[in-house]
Each structure stands twice: as C-alpha cells, then as structure tokens.
Amino acid sequence: MGEKNGRALERIVVTGGCGFIGSNFVRHVVREHPGVRVTVIDKLTYAANPASIADLPPERVRLVVGDVCDASLLDRVLPGHDAVIHFAAESHNDNSIADPGAFVRNNVDGTFRLLEACRAHDVFLHHVSTDEVYGDLALDDPARFSEGSPYRPSSPYSATKASSDLLVRAWARTFGVRATISCCSNNYGPYQNVEKFVPRQITNVLVGARPRLYGSGRNVRDWIHVEDHCRAVWEIATRGRVGETYLVAARSERSNLEVLRLILERMGRDADDFDVVRDRPGHDRRYAVDPSKLERELGWRPLHTNLAEGIDQTIAWYRAHPSWWLPTKRATEARYAARGQ
Ligand code: NAD
Ligand code: TYD
C-alpha cells in the first residue's frame, strides 16, 4: 500500500517493466509493498527480457505487450489505476547515434501519449529520467548539477529524455497533470542488458573475450545500485511533491578506467587485460548530480554504499544466470564490432 500521508498506490502501471530498471522496480514492489498490483506495459524491444519478471505471482503482476505510443491501448489499460511509473524508453547512447529516430518516437512521442492518457483518465504519473539531461561537466570542474540547473543535453538519447521531461513539466503546469520527475545517475545491478558498460565487461570476461574501453577511460560516471534507484522512485511516487523534479545519486563517482579495473580484479584477472577501442562521438566527460533534496525532503539514502561489494554481487548474478544473457551476447557484440567498438 502507499505510505501514510502520501499517495496511496494500490494499482500501478509500470511502462518498460521488462527492461533493466523497470523489472527491478516491479520485483522491488512485489517484495516490499504487499497489496500493490502491477500492470506492466512493454513492447518487448531488443532491450526487454520478459524472463526478468516471469517468476512473479500472476495475481500481483500482469504483462500487457504493447507500445506506449498506442493511445487506444493506453485508454483501455489506464482506467482503474492510481499511477503510471514510466520507465519505457530507448536507453542506450551508442544506439541513439546509430538510429536516433527510434529515440524520438519512443521517448518523446511515447511520453506525450502517456501524458495525454494520464490527463484524460486523471492518473498520477512518475516520469523516470536521467542525469544526462543536464549535459556533462569538465573533468576538473568540482560542481554537481542541482534540480534548477539548465538542461543542456548533448547526445540524441539525452536530448529525447530532456524533451520528454519538458513535456511532463508543461502538462503538469498547463493541464494540471499530477506528475513527478526523477533524474538518476548510472545504474548497475542484475538484469541489465549486456550492451551497457558494466554487464558488457563482466560477460566479456565470462565468455573469454577482452573488455572494451572507449578512448582514454577518463570519463566519469556516478554509479548507483539499481535497488537504491528503485527505492527512490517509490519514495518520490508516493511522497514526492507534485510538479517537482528530484535528483537521484549515491555520490559514487568513478572513471570508466577505475570501474573496469575493479571488475577485472574482482574476476581474478590482470587489471590491464582490456582493449582500448574507438571512442563514442561526442562522449560526455563527467555526469554528477546532487541528491540533497531527495535526502532532505524524503529521507532517502542509498543502502549499497560499497561499489566493490555491489560489483561482486553483480558479477555473481551474471555468473549464475547465463541463460538470461547468453542468447543476446553474440548479436550485441556483432553490433559493436560493426562500429569498431
Ligand atoms: P532498458 O533499455 O533496459 O529497458 C527499456 C524497456 O522499455 C524495454 O523493456 C523496452 O522493451 C521498453 N520500451 C521501449 N520503448 C517502448 C515503448 N514505446 N512502449 C513500451 N515499452 C517500450 O532501459 P533501462 O536502463 O531500464 O532504463 C529505464 C528508464 O530509466 C529509461 O527511461 C532511462 O532513460 C532511465 N534511466 C536509465 C539509467 C541507466 O543507468 N540505465 C539511468 C537513469 C535513468
Ligand atoms: P553506458 O553504460 O553506455 O552508459 P552512459 O552512456 O549512459 O554513461 O556507458 C558508461 C560509460 O562507459 C560511458 O562513458 C561509455 C563507456 N563505455 C566503455 O568504455 N566501453 C563500453 O563497452 C561501453 C558500452 C561503454
């Protein structure tokens, strides 16, 4: 059930619930919030894996295979729900350079359709966004972005996420749609597609290939365990102030080279046993957002504060679940190879 003094969420729609963070969120809700029933809407793109939620009780979780751009589907599914938690998106920067059109359709038009449906059926919306909407910082700049920092996205992916955030803000102000937004830093943990940095390197080692580092490896990301992000999303969706944006991060900045060396060491390999490959065009240098508002207003704190332990758990999960990731590994690496990465 929803928290005391907050929004009571008993029936929720989770878009993108067969993807990485969406499936972790559905699992989190089933585990931590008995009584809440979840309808997942997912169009099952290459990034989805329905196995990520297939073991959950059918009386708690229902999967509707469909597209959030499909207005008639939303009109059928949304009535009777208290909230939509919106994770569905094209999410990988490298793919947004190869095929930006899919990002405009799914991320911008998808959010627009969802906003229209939430408006028509008076359903609360929590929109899941990214720290990348603020653009990057120079490596020698000690600053962190805050909620009021200007949006300066630099990749097609982050530009479509920024656009979708602006639609949410406009629909909240103009039409009174009840909505909150969260912008989170880089997630790691179980059920992440092997195209992403952390699981790509872990599974490369597991299949006997060498990890791949883009460029100098000096780019900095702020890593958060996916379970900490999921708890933050629940807190904001149930207790966050309507119309507000909250930044989510665990204050755990590392260069890509540091993270890659950590993975190699924890897997018993030489820390220099990797290949440097072609850099990403326009590669953002450093992401950093300040989570103070979330900590102050909602009392949220990350529970996974030791990155090495979190990486160990993640390595153990990929070791134990080859049937989850192995079927997509070869095709993913073939796509990277075609791009020289
Ligand atoms: P993902 O790529 O693993 O999963 C996305 C899911 O959305 C997939 O299951 C896919 O099938 C589904 N989907 C895509 N388009 C759809 C559509 N039009 N209709 C229905 N379903 C659709 O992504 P993720 O890493 O889990 O990210 C989830 C959300 O969190 C995204 O909005 C992303 O921008 C945001 N985010 C991600 C991170 C990160 O580190 N991964 C960090 C901050 C924010
Ligand atoms: P990624 O997981 O794609 O997330 P994001 O682009 O949202 O930060 O990449 C994380 C960082 O790792 C990014 O700086 C790019 C880099 N990277 C590599 O060095 N090698 C890889 O194989 C991948 C996929 C990413």
Side-chain angles (χ1 to χ4, degrees):
M1 297 285 169
E3 257 68 348
K4 243 189 190 167
N5 305 323
R7 278 174 290 278
L9 303 186
E10 294 176 8
R11 292 193 64 192
I12 62 173
V13 170
V14 174
T15 72
C18 294
F20 165 46
I21 308 174
S23 65
N24 275 282
F25 181 77
V26 174
R27 303 186 74 81
H28 171 84
V29 169
V30 167
R31 197 172 56 240
E32 303 292 332
H33 303 285
V36 179
R37 283 188 291 157
V38 180
T39 305
V40 170
I41 301 178
D42 198 302
K43 87 168 179 184
L44 303 184
T45 69
Y46 81 94
N49 191 339
S52 306
I53 55 167
D55 59 322
L56 299 175
E59 66 278 11
R60 302 284 308 280
V61 179
R62 177 168 73 106
L63 170 61
V64 176
V65 177
D67 191 333
V68 295
C69 298
D70 179 348
S72 64
L73 173 101
L74 298 179
D75 283 338
R76 280 198 307 281
V77 174
L78 259 55
H81 289 87
D82 305 310
V84 174
I85 316 294
H86 180 34
F87 292 94
E90 285 289 336
S91 68
H92 192 39
N93 270 305
D94 292 317
N95 297 341
S96 83
I97 296 165
D99 178 18
F103 287 69
V104 175
R105 276 192 302 283
N106 292 298
N107 301 0
V108 184
D109 192 44
T111 303
F112 160 66
R113 302 283 170 197
L114 213 44
L115 281 163
E116 285 291 81
C118 287
R119 176 185 167 202
H121 302 288
D122 191 24
V123 176
F124 175 86
L125 175 74
H126 179 73
H127 177 66
V128 179
S129 192
T130 166
D131 61 355
E132 302 184 28
V133 296
Y134 295 104
D136 67 346
L137 291 155
L139 293 176
D140 59 359
D141 185 343
R144 299 186 140 239
F145 294 118
S146 59
E147 282 79 3
S149 300
Y151 273 27
R152 290 179 51 216
S154 38
S155 75
Y157 162 65
S158 53
T160 60
K161 291 299 291 185
S163 306
S164 65
D165 294 8
L166 297 181
L167 294 180
V168 176
R169 290 181 182 190
W171 261 242
R173 172 148 174 182
T174 306
F175 302 118
V177 169
R178 292 172 298 127
T180 45
I181 298 175
S182 54
C183 295
C184 188
S185 65
N186 282 62
N187 285 220
Y188 72 94
Y191 302 101
Q192 186 167 28
N193 190 286
V194 294
E195 69 187 350
K196 299 286 178 12
F197 180 60
V198 167
R200 183 181 186 204
Q201 316 313 339
I202 293 172
T203 55
N204 271 8
V205 173
L206 291 177
V207 299
R210 283 161 71 88
R212 302 278 199 271
L213 186 71
Y214 293 175
S216 68
R218 292 181 66 223
N219 308 62
V220 170
R221 300 293 183 261
D222 192 357
W223 293 97
I224 184 171
H225 194 285
V226 64
E227 282 168 15
D228 284 326
H229 182 195
C230 291
R231 275 192 309 107
V233 167
W234 179 264
E235 293 302 323
I236 298 163
T238 54
R239 298 194 295 122
R241 285 184 290 138
V242 166
E244 293 288 315
T245 295
Y246 293 85
L247 305 184
V248 186
R251 303 176 197 272
S252 181
E253 289 182 49
R254 300 283 192 289
S255 72
N256 294 340
L257 184 59
E258 284 177 284
V259 174
L260 181 52
R261 289 204 157 126
L262 176 64
I263 291 170
L264 281 161
E265 280 164 10
R266 307 307 277 202
M267 296 186 81
R269 298 298 166 104
D270 188 306
D272 291 322
D273 197 6
F274 60 84
D275 292 333
V276 172
V277 294
R278 194 171 76 88
D279 206 356
R280 174 184 287 169
H283 198 170
D284 280 342
R285 294 159 298 179
R286 170 172 168 252
Y287 299 138
V289 293
D290 180 357
S292 299
K293 175 176 165 182
L294 174 64
E295 294 168 342
R296 196 175 58 244
E297 286 190 16
L298 302 180
W300 174 89
R301 294 282 183 284
L303 298 178
H304 296 265
T305 49
N306 183 324
L307 184 64
E309 273 174 24
I311 289 289
D312 279 347
Q313 283 173 12
T314 307
I315 293 167
W317 189 88
Y318 282 90
R319 256 193 224 291
H321 296 86
S323 62
W324 186 90
W325 57 267
L326 205 47
T328 59
K329 180 68 182 167
R330 192 192 290 266
T332 305
E333 287 306 315
R335 275 200 299 278
Y336 275 124
R339 297 175 197 158
Q341 293 180 317

